[in-house]
Amino acid sequence: MPRRMKIKAAVISLPLLFPVVAHSQTQATAQQRTEEVTNATQAQGRNPIALDAVDRLRANIWGLTDEEMLRAKTLLEGPRKAFSVENLSPIEALGIHATSEAERRKYAEMFARAFHADVERSLAWNRAFTEAMARLYPNEPVVNFSQIPPVPATVGAADTLNVPRTAIIETPAPGYTPLTQGVPAQGTNK
C-alpha cells in the first residue's frame, strides 16, 4: 500500500479508535482539504476558485473577509455542494465546516444576527401591508372564504391558519381516537 494511502487509512480509522484525537485531526483536515483543492487546480493548470465582483459584494453583505468568502466559495463548490441546498449562505458553509468551537460560535452569531434582522424586516413589511389593505379596502377581508367550497381539514389546522371553520369539512387529526370509542354506553354492563 502506498505511503499516502496508509496515511489516509490511518486518518480515517482515527475516529473509531481515538475520538478526541480524531476531532482535532478532523479540524486540521478540513482546512487542509480547502488548500488541497486550490493547490490541485493550480497544479493542473486550471484557474483556482477566485472571487469576482459578485462574490466580493456577497462577502460585504454577509460581513465576511475576502479570505472567508474564498473558503466559503470553495466549500460550496466542493463538499457542501453534495449535501446542501443551492442557496446555502456562505456563513452557514463556514459554520458547518468550522475548524474550532470559537469559529463555529462566531459564524452562528453572525447568522443569528442576519436572520434576526431579516425577521424584523419581514414583520415590518407585513405590518405595512396589513395597514395598507385596511386603508385601501376597509370593508373587504384579505381573503373572502365565502366563495371557496369547503375542504377537508382538521379544526386545529383551520384555527392555526385563521381559516373560518365554515370553510372546512371537519376531519379528525391524525392519530385521533375519540374518547367515546370503546367506552360502553351508560346503562350497559360488561
Side-chain angles (χ1 to χ4, degrees):
M1 181 184 288
R3 184 172 192 268
R4 187 176 177 125
M5 290 179 77
K6 286 180 184 176
I7 292 171
K8 283 186 178 181
V11 170
I12 291 170
S13 66
L14 277 176
L16 301 174
L17 302 173
F18 309 103
V20 174
V21 174
H23 178 69
S24 62
Q25 181 69 30
T26 303
Q27 291 174 348
T29 305
Q31 193 161 2
Q32 285 174 334
R33 283 189 203 133
T34 304
E35 292 169 8
E36 286 174 6
V37 168
T38 303
N39 293 338
T41 55
Q42 287 173 337
Q44 293 174 359
R46 293 189 213 148
N47 290 335
I49 295 177
L51 298 181
D52 58 20
V54 173
D55 294 326
R56 285 194 174 82
L57 178 62
R58 287 181 72 208
N60 188 27
I61 289 169
W62 285 105
L64 298 172
T65 65
D66 282 357
E67 292 79 23
E68 288 172 316
M69 189 64 193
L70 182 60
R71 182 162 187 263
K73 188 173 179 180
T74 303
L75 291 167
L76 289 167
E77 285 300 317
R80 283 278 34 105
K81 192 171 193 174
F83 301 112
S84 297
V85 295
E86 288 183 25
N87 62 340
L88 189 75
S89 74
I91 291 180
E92 290 171 290
L94 291 169
I96 292 167
H97 291 273
T99 58
S100 68
E101 281 302 314
E103 189 176 76
R104 185 173 291 109
R105 187 174 19 264
K106 170 190 169 184
Y107 294 123
E109 288 176 4
M110 288 173 75
F111 191 76
R113 285 186 187 99
F115 186 80
H116 182 268
D118 188 61
V119 168
E120 290 297 319
R121 285 189 299 271
S122 295
L123 291 173
W125 161 249
N126 189 53
R127 284 188 297 273
F129 168 75
T130 302
E131 291 168 4
M133 284 297 294
R135 188 176 55 259
L136 296 171
Y137 307 100
N139 298 320
E140 294 180 33
V142 175
V143 178
N144 184 354
F145 291 101
S146 67
Q147 304 300 319
I148 301 172
V151 296
T154 64
V155 170
D159 290 349
T160 300
L161 296 172
N162 218 11
V163 173
R165 291 185 182 184
T166 57
I168 67 164
I169 301 167
E170 188 176 343
T171 60
Y176 171 74
T177 305
L179 292 175
T180 57
Q181 185 176 339
V183 176
Q186 284 188 353
T188 60
N189 292 334
K190 259 196 163 181

